């Protein structure tokens, strides 16, 4: 069996389908992503400054949330513009 056959047996998807799902997930309602961006921004602005644990923890939390915000924005852009190949 090839790697693709094994993958298809294990997941029920081809490698191509899995890659498409990874690059362009099926999201029935993109408004969910827009809302999650505003929630994450609220957390960065209002919750992270009050975290206990010192500046290193606050910096880590801020960075993780800002990275997630950027990922959501990129995904929204791809959903609105389609996938470039």
């Amino acid at each position: 069996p090839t790697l693709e056959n094994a993958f298809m047996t294990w997941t029920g998807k081809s490698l191509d389908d899995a890659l498409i799902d990874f690059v362009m997930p099926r999201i029935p309602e993109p408004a969910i992503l827009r809302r999650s961006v505003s929630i994450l921004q609220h957390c960065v602005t209002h919750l992270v400054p009050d975290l206990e644990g010192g500046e290193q923890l606050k910096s880590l939390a801020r960075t993780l949330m800002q990275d997630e915000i950027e990922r959501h924005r990129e995904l929204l852009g791809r959903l609105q513009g389609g996938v470039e190949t």
Side-chain angles (χ1 to χ4, degrees):
T2 66
L3 176 61
E4 180 149 10
N5 289 342
F7 185 83
M8 190 167 229
T9 299
W10 183 54
T11 65
K13 296 181 183 180
S14 71
L15 285 174
D16 288 341
D17 289 340
L19 182 58
I20 289 169
D21 285 346
F22 178 75
V23 172
M24 188 64 152
R26 292 175 185 95
I27 299 175
E29 185 52 54
I32 293 169
L33 287 175
R34 283 189 286 280
R35 181 69 180 133
S36 68
V37 167
S38 66
I39 291 169
L40 287 166
Q41 287 173 327
H42 173 82
C43 291
V44 169
T45 303
H46 298 287
L47 301 179
V48 171
D50 295 332
L51 281 178
E52 296 179 7
E55 280 307 311
Q56 189 174 10
L57 177 63
K58 291 178 188 181
S59 177
L60 176 62
R62 208 172 11 258
T63 299
L64 289 172
M65 288 183 196
Q66 288 168 340
D67 287 351
E68 191 63 20
I69 289 167
E70 186 58 32
R71 276 191 284 280
H72 286 216
R73 286 182 175 151
E74 288 173 5
L75 183 54
L76 273 169
R78 288 194 309 237
L79 288 170
Q80 292 169 353
V83 177
E84 294 181 14
T85 55

